Amino acid sequence: MAKKVNATRMELLRLKKRLNVAKRGHKLLKQKQDELLRILQKTINELSTMRKELEERLSEALKQFFLARAYQDKNIFEGSFLMLDADIELSMTTEKVMNVSLPTYQKSFKGELVSYGFAMTSPTLDIALKNLMKVFERLIQMAQLEKRILLLSVEMDKTRRRVNALEYILIPEIQVSVREINMKLEEREREKNSRLMIIKDVIRG
């Protein structure tokens, strides 16, 4: 429902300027919404592909662990992990995409993944550990993509609400107000012309 406004030419000019600004803002937000949707869909597809790949790699790594366990003594197998000398640190940076700060995770690795003796352990364990490290790297990438999807979804929802508010509330309200002022100004102009005609008739008479 349109708000009550003063039916003056100054107010009409102000509303028309506001309407133009609202339409430009709506166009820009709509473009942002479309681009966010494109980026979001691309990220979701990337995550889906990576998830399938991760499941395959994890399954293969677990098979190798089971094989390694089958070829060695239980105590030696479990003791091998007590001798691991590796540290992994995660850091995060951000990049701005469509005014959204998206995270990028970096992994730094120190030490040796395979630091146990080779005499009593199976080569399959070495392969299993290296494959598990690749799985871990994929998990980090997946966490990054999932966080990006969450942040993009939040921004997408905010943008959608702003687009809808402009398209279905603000712009229609201003348009109604502009029409009402135009109608009142035209009515006043007709009344003015009618009075002038009457005055002319009186003067002539």
Side-chain angles (χ1 to χ4, degrees):
M1 186 175 180
K3 297 178 181 178
K4 188 175 180 180
V5 293
N6 295 323
T8 62
R9 296 192 181 278
M10 185 175 293
E11 180 67 10
L12 179 62
L13 182 62
R14 187 186 72 82
L15 285 175
K16 284 184 175 180
K17 287 181 178 178
R18 190 181 176 196
L19 181 60
N20 287 333
V21 170
K23 286 182 176 180
R24 287 199 299 270
H26 175 266
K27 182 180 179 180
L28 291 173
L29 283 172
K30 197 74 171 63
Q31 290 173 347
K32 179 181 179 180
Q33 183 182 16
D34 293 341
E35 182 62 13
L36 280 170
L37 181 60
R38 186 191 68 79
I39 296 172
L40 185 59
Q41 188 61 56
K42 179 183 177 183
T43 309
I44 290 172
N45 291 339
E46 188 177 349
L47 177 62
S48 178
T49 301
M50 190 176 294
R51 191 183 300 277
K52 292 178 182 177
E53 180 189 343
L54 177 67
E55 289 174 356
E56 293 174 0
R57 289 194 176 191
L58 183 58
S59 176
E60 185 62 30
L62 289 175
K63 286 179 183 178
Q64 289 162 347
F65 268 110
F66 288 135
L67 285 173
R69 171 64 185 85
Y71 291 141
Q72 350 181 165
D73 179 77
K74 178 182 177 183
N75 293 329
I76 296 176
F77 179 79
E78 294 178 353
S80 301
F81 297 103
L82 299 176
M83 302 175 67
L84 296 179
D85 182 25
D87 290 322
I88 298 175
E89 292 183 0
L90 289 177
S91 59
M92 184 187 78
T93 58
T94 59
E95 61 173 328
K96 285 280 189 179
V97 177
M98 302 300 294
N99 205 35
V100 184
S101 295
L102 299 180
T104 300
Y105 299 143
Q106 290 94 21
K107 170 186 69 68
S108 60
F109 183 84
K110 296 178 182 179
E112 293 293 333
L113 182 64
V114 180
S115 56
Y116 45 77
F118 297 105
M120 302 295 291
T121 57
S122 167
T124 310
L125 180 59
D126 305 346
I127 298 172
L129 282 173
K130 289 177 181 178
N131 285 341
L132 194 61
M133 179 54 67
K134 292 179 181 177
V135 169
F136 180 68
E137 291 173 353
R138 283 300 191 193
L139 283 172
I140 294 173
Q141 293 171 357
M142 281 182 60
Q144 173 182 303
L145 290 176
E146 287 179 351
K147 185 63 176 178
R148 287 184 169 216
I149 289 170
L150 174 62
L151 295 172
L152 287 168
S153 298
V154 170
E155 187 66 21
M156 180 76 179
D157 185 59
K158 288 180 182 178
T159 305
R160 179 184 56 79
R161 283 189 273 111
R162 289 170 184 163
V163 168
N164 288 343
L166 285 170
E167 185 172 349
Y168 299 111
I169 299 175
L170 183 61
I171 291 176
E173 281 185 356
I174 297 175
Q175 288 173 331
V176 169
S177 296
V178 167
R179 283 197 298 270
E180 286 185 352
I181 291 177
N182 275 324
M183 289 173 61
K184 288 179 180 179
L185 290 176
E186 289 172 0
E187 184 179 350
R188 287 176 188 173
E189 188 67 23
R190 286 194 297 270
E191 290 175 354
K192 177 182 176 182
N193 290 335
S194 296
R195 286 195 298 270
L196 287 174
M197 290 177 66
I198 292 172
I199 291 171
K200 285 181 181 178
D201 289 341
V202 170
I203 292 174
R204 287 174 185 170

